[in-house]
Amino acid sequence: MRSGVIAQKVGMTRVYNDAGEHVPVTVLRMENCQVVAQLTKEKNGYTAVQLGVGLAKVKNTSKALRGHFAAASVEPKSKVAEFRVSADNMLDVGSEITVEHFVPGQKVDVTGTTIGKGFQGVIKRHNFGGGRATHGNSVSHRTHGSTGQRQDPGKVFKGKKMAGHMGDVRVTTQNVEVVSTDTDRGLILIRGAVPGSKGAWILVRDAAKIALPANAPKPAGIRAATKNEAPATEGAE
């Protein structure tokens, strides 16, 4: 199991394949995605890496986090996330993961927070059909109708589709395709839509239900191993 990455959603565009067909893609940008901590079986009970991305102002970073980043010899990060990894795919603290971590055609799982829609009615939130336009209906055109039963059971069951807060939830979209990557600009092009608004932080992992391509680099697509080592990129096993 390899580590995932943290990327920032730029927006959507289209690219053309070899057949001349346009493919809608979401553009994700990776910038200075570094390992800031290791979690080991002996100390934490499981193996994982903690990644940080983006640059945060020191004055806006808590004293505890400043010490955490100083121990890793990295600049303060604006977003931190943890990814489970197998012991043979553990990464050194300070390593920077690049977009070469993924290969074109690979399937990935993408996690983000959907755009908030506020308080919405059942027609927008649950795709209800609405009430009749005439024949006695005067003020109930967009209501959800009856919500409960009779005296028995005398309650509204949990999970009943009703009006309420819509969006702003954590969603994972599985098995989406990596169309291409741009190493120079640090871009990942994902086929189709990705949950989240422009500028949102997105977590991208290898697909859990589809095998990893043989040419994917292991343990990761790395630019620099540690602060004391020269820049290098590990190839595929």
Side-chain angles (χ1 to χ4, degrees), residues 23-26 103-110 174-180 188-192:
V23 180
V25 295
T26 299
V103 295
Q106 176 182 350
K107 301 292 186 178
V108 294
D109 295 340
V110 182
Q174 294 184 320
N175 304 331
V176 292
E177 180 185 352
V178 176
V179 176
S180 63
I188 306 174
L189 273 59
I190 304 290
R191 179 187 288 269

Side-chain angles (χ1 to χ4, degrees), residues 185-202:
R185 293 186 291 177
L187 302 179
I188 306 174
L189 273 59
I190 304 290
R191 179 187 288 269
V194 166
S197 59
K198 293 181 181 180
W201 296 111
I202 307 295

Side-chain angles (χ1 to χ4, degrees), residues 86-124:
S86 55
D88 56 336
N89 287 317
M90 181 64 73
L91 301 174
D92 296 329
V93 174
S95 300
E96 181 180 349
I97 304 179
T98 67
V99 296
E100 295 175 341
H101 187 68
F102 301 108
V103 295
Q106 176 182 350
K107 301 292 186 178
V108 294
D109 295 340
V110 182
T111 301
T113 301
T114 59
I115 299 174
K117 304 294 185 180
F119 190 98
Q120 299 297 335
V122 291
I123 292 181
K124 185 177 182 66

Side-chain angles (χ1 to χ4, degrees), residues 33 43 52 58 62 70 104 108 110 117 150 173 185 203 232 234:
C33 184
K43 185 176 181 180
V58 177
S62 66
V108 294
V110 182
K117 304 294 185 180
R150 295 189 175 188
T173 304
R185 293 186 291 177
L203 307 183
E234 296 190 22

